[in-house]
Amino acid sequence: MKITLCARALLLVGSAGLASLAAPLAAQDGATTPAADEAQAADDSGVIYVTARRREERLIDVPLSVTALSGEDLVKQGVQDLTQIAQQVPNITLEVSRGTNTTLTAFIRGVGQQDPVAGFEAGVGLYVDDVYLNRPQAAVLDVYDVERIEVLRGPQGTLYGRNTIGGAIKYVTAPLPDETSVKVRGTYGSYDQADLIVTASTPVSDSLKIGASGARLSRGGFGENLTLGTENYNKDVWAARGTIELETGAVTARLSGDYVKDTSEARQGHRLIPSLATNQPVLSDVFDTRAGLSIVDQEVEAWGGALNIAVALSDTLTFKSITGYREDKSTTPIDFDSLAAVDLDVPAIYNNDQFSQELQLLYEGDRLSGVLGFYYLDANAFTAFDVALFTTLNGLTAQTLGNVNTETWSVFGDFTYNLTDTISVSAGGRYTNDQRTSRVLRTTFLGGFSNLFGGTGVAAAVTSNFNGEATFKDFNPRASISWQPNSNHNLYFTYSQGFKGGGFDPRGQTSACRNSRGGACTPQEVYDFMAFDPETVDSFELGWKASLLDNRLNISLAGFLGQYKNVQIPGSVGFDANGDGVNESFIGITSNAADADVNGIEFEGNALIGRDFAGDGSRFNLNWSLGIIDAKYNTFIDAFGRDVASQRVFQNTPDVTGHLGFNMGLPVSSGMLDFIGLASYRSEASQFEVPNPFLDQEGFVLVDASIVYTTDDGRYSIGLHGKNLFDKEYIVAGYNFVAGGTGGAPFVSTLGREGTLTGFYGDPRRVFLTAQVNF
């Protein structure tokens, strides 16, 4: 019933917005641009500026789908990490990856990457102050000291390069204020949540400012590990940022650094079926687990820095340099079976580092504007994990070491020319040279875990020793045309292309390769078996952005067609190395097995329903988003050479996403009292390409609410926030190593004895109080 009511509400709001299409294109010049009320970064005149096209411009002028969420409004809503913004952006999925606390799984318009191991590239690019994060580890960013977050939907290959095939997310930290400032923000709430964030900055001279932030973020677990006696789904994070800003003459420079240490307990899964061998029942609390793997601690440590320099060469020409370095390391005990006994246990290590350099030359003339640039990235990703199947195979452990080096460079350009006062055309392109070098070493150990994880296992055989190198070259074009009859309307058509790099499956096993005759493979056949090619998306988007009724109604409407080619399909299967009928381990097999069409529409907007109705400054705003997507495989070739497209679906891609929110501000005493509400809806979604009735999540609604009081001088604020108020249980990730279970058929384990079918869940209902003091 709740889903039906929410869907009806979304449709009613959408109908009201669509009715505005009949309004004359006569809104007043100078009105602000379309975007959600809770989602903007604006100047004093209310005009919203973004840097989606690598140059600052009004959001309404950008001929692509962009949502901008201001840091101030995110704080008022009680948004605490990056994944929560997905509730108010259409056709996007942001989740904490299965078995982790800070690894990000991101999908936009059906395109993304679920597996976080080295060798697989992201489908959605994440940028912190214009520095690309090459790996998903430590990418579930906490939201503090943020100016805005921009979400760019659709391929962004021209301006943002490889691995933005689905879109890009830009996390922009707040600039330092001009005066000495100290800000203290505290949070206390459900599950003993206790957060403290302290921010301080000061000008050192007329041209130099320094600032720093420190954060302590902690929360008890939503559940308990009944085997180890530890908390499950808790949070234990220390974080810090530092910034130095210099502005002298024509030169502006910003040096920033950040550090995160996460020592939260391992997030383990909930079994969805009884154990097959020992018949242990399903636990009643979905946040509880029996996982017993503890050979390594759950720990994530990440740090990095960036240097952004801008030099105004003339009134029309600016040179920019963006230099970045990042490094992270983590250990994680992934207990697939979530049982005390070792049936399918995988301790893992991830180490990543990257250096990037980008140079830009920006031109801003009367009729022509644009950017030329060069980008370079040198990155290394190392993954190591043991797969232990002790109960069935007397202590047999399969170890995998994967090491991937990436060296990529590209040149790009994008320019807009105003043909007339109302018509402009844009064109751009990016050439990428992407070199990948990969080492995959698999070794069988007897007698326990390998020495890498402190075990006593003895190496018995090397089952795979692969070295591969490949260079991928690609050109990604972009073109658009815009008609702006006045400054409050933009009708546009855009073509863009995205490119996601190829590589080698880091979980692959060379001995699993079989040629067409069923015999051992040649070296070239082994190379082809381990490798996969890039994938691309060609996107066509028709959109309208408008500000109507003297800026009381702002809307953005877009329809898109996506042609998804050479789709990379990662897969994990049990592997029987010696032919005895028992799978000793799992291996990865990734192929370019599919092509698909991804089509849809997106509608965002906000409306000022009333103002000054309860005193000067009072207001009532509605904001909404609606995303509808039709993602279907045209071909999908399975491991047996059959086209099974009719039996496959897009993972993590609900057909319908939407939200309806409001913000009512009432002047109270010497401040403003904001009542904020948000209902978000996601229709049914599948965790994997093969639907599974146990793991797949039915459609659901999440309801959040906040009450925030802020003094007129902005010095004090206090807020009460509620998340998932109706305590909806919903699956966000899972593991599946069983067959059967439907139509009366019994479950059969495909790896281990007990059968692995486990789920990971989104946050339960939480209520917390926030308070902030600005000195």
Side-chain angles (χ1 to χ4, degrees), residues 72 89 141 143 168 199 203 279 292 326 385 407 476 550 616 704 744 755:
E72 180 181 355
V89 181
L141 304 174
V143 174
T199 301
N279 198 33
R326 299 205 64 82
F385 57 87
E407 188 172 20
N476 299 132
D550 196 21
D616 291 342
D704 300 339

Side-chain angles (χ1 to χ4, degrees), residues 563-583:
Q563 299 172 350
Y564 198 4
K565 302 173 183 176
N566 289 327
V567 182
Q568 298 167 4
I569 305 295
S572 296
V573 297
F575 179 61
D576 177 11
N578 54 22
D580 63 358
V582 177
N583 292 330

Side-chain angles (χ1 to χ4, degrees), residues 203-218:
V204 177
S205 67
D206 291 341
S207 58
L208 182 66
K209 293 182 286 188
I210 60 173
S213 296
R216 172 63 174 140
L217 311 173
S218 65

Side-chain angles (χ1 to χ4, degrees), residues 163 169 172 177 182 200 291 323 363 409 490 495 520 538 657 733:
N163 307 334
I169 300 172
V172 183
V182 177
T323 307
Y363 178 80
W409 61 268
N490 185 2
Y495 163 76
D538 290 280
T657 55

Side-chain angles (χ1 to χ4, degrees), residues 33 192 226 431 671:
T33 61
D192 291 326
L226 303 180
Y431 174 80

Side-chain angles (χ1 to χ4, degrees), residues 463-578:
T463 58
S464 183
N465 190 356
F466 175 78
N467 287 278
E469 182 176 329
T471 299
F472 307 101
K473 301 177 182 179
D474 198 68
F475 177 76
N476 299 132
R478 191 192 76 85
S480 67
I481 183 169
S482 297
W483 176 50
Q484 295 182 267
N486 56 46
S487 62
N488 307 299
H489 296 269
N490 185 2
L491 290 153
Y492 67 88
F493 176 77
T494 295
Y495 163 76
S496 60
Q497 185 184 83
F499 160 76
K500 179 180 172 183
F504 305 93
D505 194 319
R507 307 157 308 164
Q509 182 152 319
T510 55
S511 59
C513 178
R514 293 291 184 271
N515 59 30
S516 59
R517 302 175 300 279
C521 293
T522 66
Q524 183 60 49
E525 288 170 333
V526 169
Y527 179 93
D528 294 339
F529 175 76
M530 297 288 289
F532 53 90
D533 292 328
E535 61 183 22
T536 61
V537 169
D538 290 280
S539 178
F540 305 85
E541 180 171 314
L542 180 65
W544 175 41
K545 300 180 180 183
S547 181
L548 305 170
L549 306 177
D550 196 21
N551 195 38
R552 295 177 70 98
L553 176 64
N554 300 306
I555 58 175
S556 176
L557 178 66
F560 59 90
L561 305 175
Q563 299 172 350
Y564 198 4
K565 302 173 183 176
N566 289 327
V567 182
Q568 298 167 4
I569 305 295
S572 296
V573 297
F575 179 61
D576 177 11
N578 54 22

